[in-house]
PDB file of all heavy atoms in Angstrom:
ATOM      1  N   PRO A   9     167.153 101.739 149.805  1.00  0.00           N
ATOM      2  CA  PRO A   9     167.741 100.515 150.356  1.00  0.00           C
ATOM      3  C   PRO A   9     169.195 100.339 149.923  1.00  0.00           C
ATOM      4  O   PRO A   9     169.656 101.026 149.014  1.00  0.00           O
ATOM      5  CB  PRO A   9     166.861  99.405 149.749  1.00  0.00           C
ATOM      6  CG  PRO A   9     166.283 100.001 148.523  1.00  0.00           C
ATOM      7  CD  PRO A   9     166.127 101.460 148.806  1.00  0.00           C
ATOM      8  N   PRO A  10     169.916  99.408 150.577  1.00  0.00           N
ATOM      9  CA  PRO A  10     171.281  99.115 150.142  1.00  0.00           C
ATOM     10  C   PRO A  10     171.255  98.769 148.658  1.00  0.00           C
ATOM     11  O   PRO A  10     170.353  98.054 148.212  1.00  0.00           O
ATOM     12  CB  PRO A  10     171.676  97.874 150.946  1.00  0.00           C
ATOM     13  CG  PRO A  10     170.710  97.777 152.057  1.00  0.00           C
ATOM     14  CD  PRO A  10     169.464  98.515 151.659  1.00  0.00           C
ATOM     15  N   GLY A  11     172.201  99.287 147.911  1.00  0.00           N
ATOM     16  CA  GLY A  11     172.257  98.957 146.491  1.00  0.00           C
ATOM     17  C   GLY A  11     171.334  99.771 145.614  1.00  0.00           C
ATOM     18  O   GLY A  11     171.211  99.519 144.413  1.00  0.00           O
ATOM     19  N   LYS A  14     172.672 105.074 145.847  1.00  0.00           N
ATOM     20  CA  LYS A  14     172.832 106.339 146.583  1.00  0.00           C
ATOM     21  C   LYS A  14     174.238 106.907 146.382  1.00  0.00           C
ATOM     22  O   LYS A  14     174.389 108.095 146.127  1.00  0.00           O
ATOM     23  CB  LYS A  14     172.584 106.141 148.095  1.00  0.00           C
ATOM     24  CG  LYS A  14     171.206 105.624 148.430  1.00  0.00           C
ATOM     25  CD  LYS A  14     170.943 105.624 149.934  1.00  0.00           C
ATOM     26  CE  LYS A  14     171.781 104.624 150.708  1.00  0.00           C
ATOM     27  NZ  LYS A  14     171.409 103.217 150.497  1.00  0.00           N
ATOM     28  N   SER A  31     178.638 110.551 153.926  1.00  0.00           N
ATOM     29  CA  SER A  31     178.173 109.167 153.894  1.00  0.00           C
ATOM     30  C   SER A  31     178.611 108.506 155.194  1.00  0.00           C
ATOM     31  O   SER A  31     179.808 108.315 155.424  1.00  0.00           O
ATOM     32  CB  SER A  31     178.772 108.426 152.688  1.00  0.00           C
ATOM     33  OG  SER A  31     178.754 107.023 152.926  1.00  0.00           O
ATOM     34  N   THR A  32     177.639 108.180 156.034  1.00  0.00           N
ATOM     35  CA  THR A  32     178.002 107.569 157.318  1.00  0.00           C
ATOM     36  C   THR A  32     178.643 106.198 157.114  1.00  0.00           C
ATOM     37  O   THR A  32     179.554 105.828 157.846  1.00  0.00           O
ATOM     38  CB  THR A  32     176.768 107.468 158.248  1.00  0.00           C
ATOM     39  OG1 THR A  32     175.635 107.056 157.483  1.00  0.00           O
ATOM     40  CG2 THR A  32     176.468 108.801 158.911  1.00  0.00           C
ATOM     41  N   GLY A  33     178.213 105.470 156.069  1.00  0.00           N
ATOM     42  CA  GLY A  33     178.835 104.162 155.767  1.00  0.00           C
ATOM     43  C   GLY A  33     180.323 104.351 155.435  1.00  0.00           C
ATOM     44  O   GLY A  33     181.184 103.634 155.955  1.00  0.00           O
ATOM     45  N   ASP A  34     180.630 105.329 154.564  1.00  0.00           N
ATOM     46  CA  ASP A  34     182.032 105.597 154.214  1.00  0.00           C
ATOM     47  C   ASP A  34     182.818 106.010 155.453  1.00  0.00           C
ATOM     48  O   ASP A  34     183.969 105.618 155.621  1.00  0.00           O
ATOM     49  CB  ASP A  34     182.135 106.754 153.191  1.00  0.00           C
ATOM     50  CG  ASP A  34     181.748 106.316 151.785  1.00  0.00           C
ATOM     51  OD1 ASP A  34     181.573 105.105 151.567  1.00  0.00           O
ATOM     52  OD2 ASP A  34     181.630 107.199 150.904  1.00  0.00           O
ATOM     53  N   PHE A  36     182.265 105.220 158.595  1.00  0.00           N
ATOM     54  CA  PHE A  36     182.533 104.040 159.442  1.00  0.00           C
ATOM     55  C   PHE A  36     183.655 103.201 158.835  1.00  0.00           C
ATOM     56  O   PHE A  36     184.560 102.745 159.537  1.00  0.00           O
ATOM     57  CB  PHE A  36     181.275 103.185 159.628  1.00  0.00           C
ATOM     58  CG  PHE A  36     180.251 103.780 160.560  1.00  0.00           C
ATOM     59  CD1 PHE A  36     178.908 103.860 160.200  1.00  0.00           C
ATOM     60  CD2 PHE A  36     180.638 104.256 161.816  1.00  0.00           C
ATOM     61  CE1 PHE A  36     177.967 104.408 161.070  1.00  0.00           C
ATOM     62  CE2 PHE A  36     179.701 104.821 162.677  1.00  0.00           C
ATOM     63  CZ  PHE A  36     178.367 104.885 162.303  1.00  0.00           C
ATOM     64  N   ARG A  37     183.596 102.987 157.519  1.00  0.00           N
ATOM     65  CA  ARG A  37     184.634 102.168 156.868  1.00  0.00           C
ATOM     66  C   ARG A  37     186.008 102.810 157.006  1.00  0.00           C
ATOM     67  O   ARG A  37     187.005 102.123 157.196  1.00  0.00           O
ATOM     68  CB  ARG A  37     184.281 101.918 155.396  1.00  0.00           C
ATOM     69  CG  ARG A  37     183.257 100.781 155.228  1.00  0.00           C
ATOM     70  CD  ARG A  37     183.025 100.437 153.764  1.00  0.00           C
ATOM     71  NE  ARG A  37     182.325 101.499 153.056  1.00  0.00           N
ATOM     72  CZ  ARG A  37     180.999 101.652 153.033  1.00  0.00           C
ATOM     73  NH1 ARG A  37     180.226 100.793 153.668  1.00  0.00           N
ATOM     74  NH2 ARG A  37     180.445 102.645 152.376  1.00  0.00           N
ATOM     75  N   ILE A  53     179.772  95.209 164.024  1.00  0.00           N
ATOM     76  CA  ILE A  53     178.391  95.595 163.682  1.00  0.00           C
ATOM     77  C   ILE A  53     178.241  95.705 162.171  1.00  0.00           C
ATOM     78  O   ILE A  53     177.288  95.186 161.584  1.00  0.00           O
ATOM     79  CB  ILE A  53     178.025  96.945 164.359  1.00  0.00           C
ATOM     80  CG1 ILE A  53     178.189  96.851 165.885  1.00  0.00           C
ATOM     81  CG2 ILE A  53     176.618  97.361 163.984  1.00  0.00           C
ATOM     82  CD1 ILE A  53     177.975  98.162 166.629  1.00  0.00           C
ATOM     83  N   LEU A  54     179.196  96.373 161.531  1.00  0.00           N
ATOM     84  CA  LEU A  54     179.145  96.500 160.068  1.00  0.00           C
ATOM     85  C   LEU A  54     179.287  95.146 159.398  1.00  0.00           C
ATOM     86  O   LEU A  54     178.559  94.834 158.458  1.00  0.00           O
ATOM     87  CB  LEU A  54     180.239  97.447 159.543  1.00  0.00           C
ATOM     88  CG  LEU A  54     179.763  98.873 159.280  1.00  0.00           C
ATOM     89  CD1 LEU A  54     179.795  99.688 160.572  1.00  0.00           C
ATOM     90  CD2 LEU A  54     180.530  99.544 158.177  1.00  0.00           C
ATOM     91  N   GLY A  57     176.175  93.381 159.229  1.00  0.00           N
ATOM     92  CA  GLY A  57     175.089  93.993 158.454  1.00  0.00           C
ATOM     93  C   GLY A  57     174.042  94.655 159.329  1.00  0.00           C
ATOM     94  O   GLY A  57     172.913  94.909 158.882  1.00  0.00           O
ATOM     95  N   LEU A  58     174.396  94.941 160.582  1.00  0.00           N
ATOM     96  CA  LEU A  58     173.442  95.569 161.503  1.00  0.00           C
ATOM     97  C   LEU A  58     173.663  97.076 161.556  1.00  0.00           C
ATOM     98  O   LEU A  58     174.701  97.572 161.118  1.00  0.00           O
ATOM     99  CB  LEU A  58     173.624  94.983 162.915  1.00  0.00           C
ATOM    100  CG  LEU A  58     173.400  93.473 162.996  1.00  0.00           C
ATOM    101  CD1 LEU A  58     173.759  92.971 164.397  1.00  0.00           C
ATOM    102  CD2 LEU A  58     171.942  93.121 162.660  1.00  0.00           C
ATOM    103  N   LEU A  59     172.696  97.784 162.114  1.00  0.00           N
ATOM    104  CA  LEU A  59     172.856  99.236 162.245  1.00  0.00           C
ATOM    105  C   LEU A  59     173.701  99.564 163.471  1.00  0.00           C
ATOM    106  O   LEU A  59     173.545  98.949 164.528  1.00  0.00           O
ATOM    107  CB  LEU A  59     171.492  99.924 162.392  1.00  0.00           C
ATOM    108  CG  LEU A  59     170.575  99.947 161.173  1.00  0.00           C
ATOM    109  CD1 LEU A  59     169.382 100.876 161.437  1.00  0.00           C
ATOM    110  CD2 LEU A  59     171.300 100.392 159.911  1.00  0.00           C
ATOM    111  N   VAL A  60     174.553 100.535 163.322  1.00  0.00           N
ATOM    112  CA  VAL A  60     175.345 101.048 164.443  1.00  0.00           C
ATOM    113  C   VAL A  60     174.373 101.805 165.363  1.00  0.00           C
ATOM    114  O   VAL A  60     173.441 102.450 164.867  1.00  0.00           O
ATOM    115  CB  VAL A  60     176.446 101.994 163.902  1.00  0.00           C
ATOM    116  CG1 VAL A  60     177.195 102.679 165.032  1.00  0.00           C
ATOM    117  CG2 VAL A  60     177.407 101.226 162.986  1.00  0.00           C
ATOM    118  N   THR A  65     176.276 107.022 165.942  1.00  0.00           N
ATOM    119  CA  THR A  65     176.115 107.531 164.583  1.00  0.00           C
ATOM    120  C   THR A  65     175.819 109.032 164.584  1.00  0.00           C
ATOM    121  O   THR A  65     176.396 109.800 163.819  1.00  0.00           O
ATOM    122  CB  THR A  65     174.965 106.770 163.881  1.00  0.00           C
ATOM    123  OG1 THR A  65     175.188 105.368 164.027  1.00  0.00           O
ATOM    124  CG2 THR A  65     174.883 107.101 162.416  1.00  0.00           C
ATOM    125  N   ASP A  85     173.978 110.843 152.895  1.00  0.00           N
ATOM    126  CA  ASP A  85     173.876 109.572 152.171  1.00  0.00           C
ATOM    127  C   ASP A  85     174.015 108.435 153.196  1.00  0.00           C
ATOM    128  O   ASP A  85     175.064 108.276 153.807  1.00  0.00           O
ATOM    129  CB  ASP A  85     175.015 109.583 151.123  1.00  0.00           C
ATOM    130  CG  ASP A  85     175.335 108.231 150.501  1.00  0.00           C
ATOM    131  OD1 ASP A  85     174.607 107.263 150.754  1.00  0.00           O
ATOM    132  OD2 ASP A  85     176.332 108.163 149.759  1.00  0.00           O
ATOM    133  N   GLY A  86     172.925 107.695 153.384  1.00  0.00           N
ATOM    134  CA  GLY A  86     172.966 106.618 154.385  1.00  0.00           C
ATOM    135  C   GLY A  86     172.631 107.124 155.777  1.00  0.00           C
ATOM    136  O   GLY A  86     172.798 106.397 156.759  1.00  0.00           O
ATOM    137  N   PHE A  87     172.163 108.310 155.875  1.00  0.00           N
ATOM    138  CA  PHE A  87     171.741 108.929 157.130  1.00  0.00           C
ATOM    139  C   PHE A  87     170.627 109.910 156.820  1.00  0.00           C
ATOM    140  O   PHE A  87     170.770 110.651 155.852  1.00  0.00           O
ATOM    141  CB  PHE A  87     172.915 109.679 157.793  1.00  0.00           C
ATOM    142  CG  PHE A  87     172.574 110.252 159.145  1.00  0.00           C
ATOM    143  CD1 PHE A  87     172.879 109.547 160.301  1.00  0.00           C
ATOM    144  CD2 PHE A  87     171.938 111.477 159.259  1.00  0.00           C
ATOM    145  CE1 PHE A  87     172.547 110.061 161.551  1.00  0.00           C
ATOM    146  CE2 PHE A  87     171.589 111.989 160.510  1.00  0.00           C
ATOM    147  CZ  PHE A  87     171.906 111.288 161.635  1.00  0.00           C
ATOM    148  N   PRO A  88     169.541 109.969 157.592  1.00  0.00           N
ATOM    149  CA  PRO A  88     169.227 109.136 158.740  1.00  0.00           C
ATOM    150  C   PRO A  88     168.691 107.750 158.346  1.00  0.00           C
ATOM    151  O   PRO A  88     168.031 107.594 157.343  1.00  0.00           O
ATOM    152  CB  PRO A  88     168.129 109.939 159.434  1.00  0.00           C
ATOM    153  CG  PRO A  88     167.475 110.734 158.351  1.00  0.00           C
ATOM    154  CD  PRO A  88     168.521 111.015 157.340  1.00  0.00           C
ATOM    155  N   ARG A  89     168.967 106.773 159.186  1.00  0.00           N
ATOM    156  CA  ARG A  89     168.513 105.406 158.948  1.00  0.00           C
ATOM    157  C   ARG A  89     167.483 104.965 159.981  1.00  0.00           C
ATOM    158  O   ARG A  89     166.982 103.838 159.909  1.00  0.00           O
ATOM    159  CB  ARG A  89     169.697 104.451 158.994  1.00  0.00           C
ATOM    160  CG  ARG A  89     170.239 104.015 157.643  1.00  0.00           C
ATOM    161  CD  ARG A  89     171.419 103.115 157.899  1.00  0.00           C
ATOM    162  NE  ARG A  89     171.766 102.255 156.796  1.00  0.00           N
ATOM    163  CZ  ARG A  89     172.663 102.556 155.864  1.00  0.00           C
ATOM    164  NH1 ARG A  89     173.253 103.720 155.862  1.00  0.00           N
ATOM    165  NH2 ARG A  89     172.940 101.677 154.928  1.00  0.00           N
ATOM    166  N   GLN A  93     167.265 109.090 164.387  1.00  0.00           N
ATOM    167  CA  GLN A  93     168.326 109.851 163.705  1.00  0.00           C
ATOM    168  C   GLN A  93     167.731 111.032 162.939  1.00  0.00           C
ATOM    169  O   GLN A  93     168.323 112.119 162.897  1.00  0.00           O
ATOM    170  CB  GLN A  93     169.109 108.952 162.734  1.00  0.00           C
ATOM    171  CG  GLN A  93     169.965 107.896 163.412  1.00  0.00           C
ATOM    172  CD  GLN A  93     170.697 106.997 162.419  1.00  0.00           C
ATOM    173  OE1 GLN A  93     170.752 107.254 161.209  1.00  0.00           O
ATOM    174  NE2 GLN A  93     171.263 105.912 162.929  1.00  0.00           N
ATOM    175  N   ILE A 125     174.026  94.040 144.169  1.00  0.00           N
ATOM    176  CA  ILE A 125     175.027  93.871 145.216  1.00  0.00           C
ATOM    177  C   ILE A 125     175.905  92.648 144.938  1.00  0.00           C
ATOM    178  O   ILE A 125     177.104  92.672 145.219  1.00  0.00           O
ATOM    179  CB  ILE A 125     174.387  93.881 146.609  1.00  0.00           C
ATOM    180  CG1 ILE A 125     173.821  95.288 146.838  1.00  0.00           C
ATOM    181  CG2 ILE A 125     175.394  93.511 147.695  1.00  0.00           C
ATOM    182  CD1 ILE A 125     173.365  95.633 148.208  1.00  0.00           C
ATOM    183  N   ARG A 128     178.382  94.074 142.694  1.00  0.00           N
ATOM    184  CA  ARG A 128     179.290  94.989 143.379  1.00  0.00           C
ATOM    185  C   ARG A 128     180.320  94.244 144.212  1.00  0.00           C
ATOM    186  O   ARG A 128     181.472  94.634 144.294  1.00  0.00           O
ATOM    187  CB  ARG A 128     178.475  95.934 144.285  1.00  0.00           C
ATOM    188  CG  ARG A 128     179.326  96.926 145.035  1.00  0.00           C
ATOM    189  CD  ARG A 128     178.481  97.990 145.719  1.00  0.00           C
ATOM    190  NE  ARG A 128     177.982  97.536 146.997  1.00  0.00           N
ATOM    191  CZ  ARG A 128     177.172  98.256 147.776  1.00  0.00           C
ATOM    192  NH1 ARG A 128     176.741  99.421 147.374  1.00  0.00           N
ATOM    193  NH2 ARG A 128     176.780  97.805 148.932  1.00  0.00           N
ATOM    194  N   ARG A 134     183.613  94.268 149.751  1.00  0.00           N
ATOM    195  CA  ARG A 134     183.012  94.578 151.043  1.00  0.00           C
ATOM    196  C   ARG A 134     182.449  93.321 151.684  1.00  0.00           C
ATOM    197  O   ARG A 134     181.616  92.634 151.094  1.00  0.00           O
ATOM    198  CB  ARG A 134     181.885  95.613 150.853  1.00  0.00           C
ATOM    199  CG  ARG A 134     182.372  97.031 150.969  1.00  0.00           C
ATOM    200  CD  ARG A 134     181.274  98.022 150.681  1.00  0.00           C
ATOM    201  NE  ARG A 134     180.094  97.884 151.540  1.00  0.00           N
ATOM    202  CZ  ARG A 134     179.099  98.749 151.534  1.00  0.00           C
ATOM    203  NH1 ARG A 134     179.133  99.808 150.731  1.00  0.00           N
ATOM    204  NH2 ARG A 134     178.061  98.584 152.327  1.00  0.00           N
ATOM    205  N   ASP A 136     180.357  93.008 153.944  1.00  0.00           N
ATOM    206  CA  ASP A 136     178.913  93.027 154.186  1.00  0.00           C
ATOM    207  C   ASP A 136     178.118  92.923 152.880  1.00  0.00           C
ATOM    208  O   ASP A 136     176.894  93.002 152.899  1.00  0.00           O
ATOM    209  CB  ASP A 136     178.501  94.254 155.010  1.00  0.00           C
ATOM    210  CG  ASP A 136     178.757  95.579 154.310  1.00  0.00           C
ATOM    211  OD1 ASP A 136     179.542  95.600 153.322  1.00  0.00           O
ATOM    212  OD2 ASP A 136     178.172  96.585 154.736  1.00  0.00           O
ATOM    213  N   ARG A 145     171.077  93.261 156.102  1.00  0.00           N
ATOM    214  CA  ARG A 145     170.994  94.691 155.817  1.00  0.00           C
ATOM    215  C   ARG A 145     169.628  95.059 155.252  1.00  0.00           C
ATOM    216  O   ARG A 145     169.073  96.102 155.576  1.00  0.00           O
ATOM    217  CB  ARG A 145     172.105  95.099 154.849  1.00  0.00           C
ATOM    218  CG  ARG A 145     173.426  95.333 155.572  1.00  0.00           C
ATOM    219  CD  ARG A 145     174.605  95.228 154.664  1.00  0.00           C
ATOM    220  NE  ARG A 145     174.626  96.216 153.609  1.00  0.00           N
ATOM    221  CZ  ARG A 145     175.206  96.036 152.412  1.00  0.00           C
ATOM    222  NH1 ARG A 145     175.799  94.900 152.141  1.00  0.00           N
ATOM    223  NH2 ARG A 145     175.193  96.984 151.526  1.00  0.00           N
TER     224      ARG A 145
HETATM  225  P1  ADP B 201     174.570 100.447 151.980  1.00  0.00           P
HETATM  226  O1  ADP B 201     173.765 101.666 151.644  1.00  0.00           O
HETATM  227  O2  ADP B 201     175.115  99.759 150.787  1.00  0.00           O
HETATM  228  O3  ADP B 201     173.882  99.503 152.921  1.00  0.00           O
HETATM  229  P2  ADP B 201     176.390 102.042 153.668  1.00  0.00           P
HETATM  230  O4  ADP B 201     177.750 102.255 153.172  1.00  0.00           O
HETATM  231  O5  ADP B 201     175.460 103.206 153.660  1.00  0.00           O
HETATM  232  O6  ADP B 201     175.863 100.847 152.796  1.00  0.00           O
HETATM  233  O7  ADP B 201     176.419 101.466 155.163  1.00  0.00           O
HETATM  234  C1  ADP B 201     177.206 100.363 155.528  1.00  0.00           C
HETATM  235  C2  ADP B 201     176.952  99.991 156.985  1.00  0.00           C
HETATM  236  O8  ADP B 201     177.350 101.075 157.846  1.00  0.00           O
HETATM  237  C3  ADP B 201     175.519  99.699 157.375  1.00  0.00           C
HETATM  238  O9  ADP B 201     175.136  98.387 157.079  1.00  0.00           O
HETATM  239  C4  ADP B 201     175.565  99.974 158.892  1.00  0.00           C
HETATM  240  O10 ADP B 201     176.200  98.913 159.588  1.00  0.00           O
HETATM  241  C5  ADP B 201     176.497 101.172 158.985  1.00  0.00           C
HETATM  242  N1  ADP B 201     175.755 102.452 158.903  1.00  0.00           N
HETATM  243  C6  ADP B 201     175.878 103.378 157.915  1.00  0.00           C
HETATM  244  N2  ADP B 201     175.081 104.441 158.134  1.00  0.00           N
HETATM  245  C7  ADP B 201     174.420 104.175 159.292  1.00  0.00           C
HETATM  246  C8  ADP B 201     173.440 104.872 160.048  1.00  0.00           C
HETATM  247  N3  ADP B 201     172.954 106.060 159.649  1.00  0.00           N
HETATM  248  N4  ADP B 201     172.998 104.302 161.209  1.00  0.00           N
HETATM  249  C9  ADP B 201     173.456 103.133 161.608  1.00  0.00           C
HETATM  250  N5  ADP B 201     174.372 102.414 160.952  1.00  0.00           N
HETATM  251  C10 ADP B 201     174.858 102.912 159.803  1.00  0.00           C
END
Side-chain angles (χ1 to χ4, degrees):
K14 301 188 292 290
S31 158
T32 42
D34 284 351
F36 286 132
R37 279 186 291 275
I53 302 175
L54 262 85
L58 300 173
L59 291 190
V60 173
T65 309
D85 165 7
F87 184 95
R89 259 178 159 93
Q93 291 179 11
I125 294 191
R128 180 170 84 183
R134 270 176 57 173
D136 64 343
R145 278 159 62 208

